[in-house]
Amino acid sequence: MSGTSGSVAAPATPDDEYEILCDDTGSFLRRYSTEDGATVITDTELDGTTAYTPTGTVVRCDAATAPAPNPAIDSTIQRQTGAGAVTIPAGARSVTVVVYAGAPTIAIGGGAGVPVAAGTSLTWGVNRGGDTGEQLQDEFVITGVAGSDFLVTSSREV
């Protein structure tokens, strides 16, 4: 409104931040409360109410596990025109199929082939590798007939 000035006072409320941490016996919840410039730390079980006393070294839970080493990744690319098949064995981290012409079939894990129309792009993938790595468990077989034109790319750890 024109010509009006003033201020509004909001009641002071604590600012709470939460973090799940780990110690020598497992995980727990730490609450950091800040009010009037003072920070208060409260540790509880994961239920948020039962008091908890940490044992040993306290770390971020994701720091408690050593990161997996960076794996080497092998990539492939194959373009198939006309009749023929491209097979990606089980264990890949990613598979992408782009269909330019025709309607090749895609069979996953020994299942029946499903026709895929021109203009279609499909991707399967996982995002973690290394010692606890994920991988696609199925074999992919992409089969073209006369008039087919498609591109298949894949990646896997080596």
Side-chain angles (χ1 to χ4, degrees), residues 80-92:
Q80 177 66 43
T81 56
V86 175
T87 300
I88 304 298

Side-chain angles (χ1 to χ4, degrees), residues 2-158:
S2 177
T4 303
S5 67
S7 63
V8 176
T13 58
D15 177 24
D16 292 336
E17 302 291 330
Y18 297 86
E19 185 170 20
I20 296 176
L21 298 173
C22 289
D23 64 7
D24 291 350
T25 60
S27 55
F28 64 95
L29 185 65
R30 177 165 285 172
R31 181 179 69 232
Y32 302 91
S33 297
T34 304
E35 186 172 4
D36 297 328
T39 300
V40 176
I41 296 173
T42 306
D43 294 330
T44 65
E45 298 279 345
L46 294 176
D47 65 9
T49 57
T50 306
Y52 183 82
T53 302
T55 303
T57 303
V58 174
V59 296
R60 291 180 58 117
C61 293
D62 58 357
T65 303
N70 291 330
I73 303 295
D74 181 36
S75 300
T76 64
I77 184 168
Q78 184 173 342
R79 186 163 187 171
Q80 177 66 43
T81 56
V86 175
T87 300
I88 304 298
R93 286 195 50 192
S94 69
V95 175
T96 297
V97 178
V98 179
V99 181
Y100 299 115
T105 61
I106 300 177
I108 301 173
V114 175
V116 179
T120 301
S121 174
L122 300 169
T123 299
W124 297 263
V126 296
N127 63 359
R128 279 192 1 224
D131 293 342
T132 58
E134 298 172 323
Q135 59 185 2
L136 298 169
Q137 71 178 5
D138 296 315
E139 174 184 73
F140 290 73
V141 179
I142 304 91
T143 305
V145 295
S148 293
D149 185 5
F150 58 92
L151 184 72
V152 180
T153 61
S154 70
S155 66
R156 71 178 57 245
E157 288 186 30
V158 290

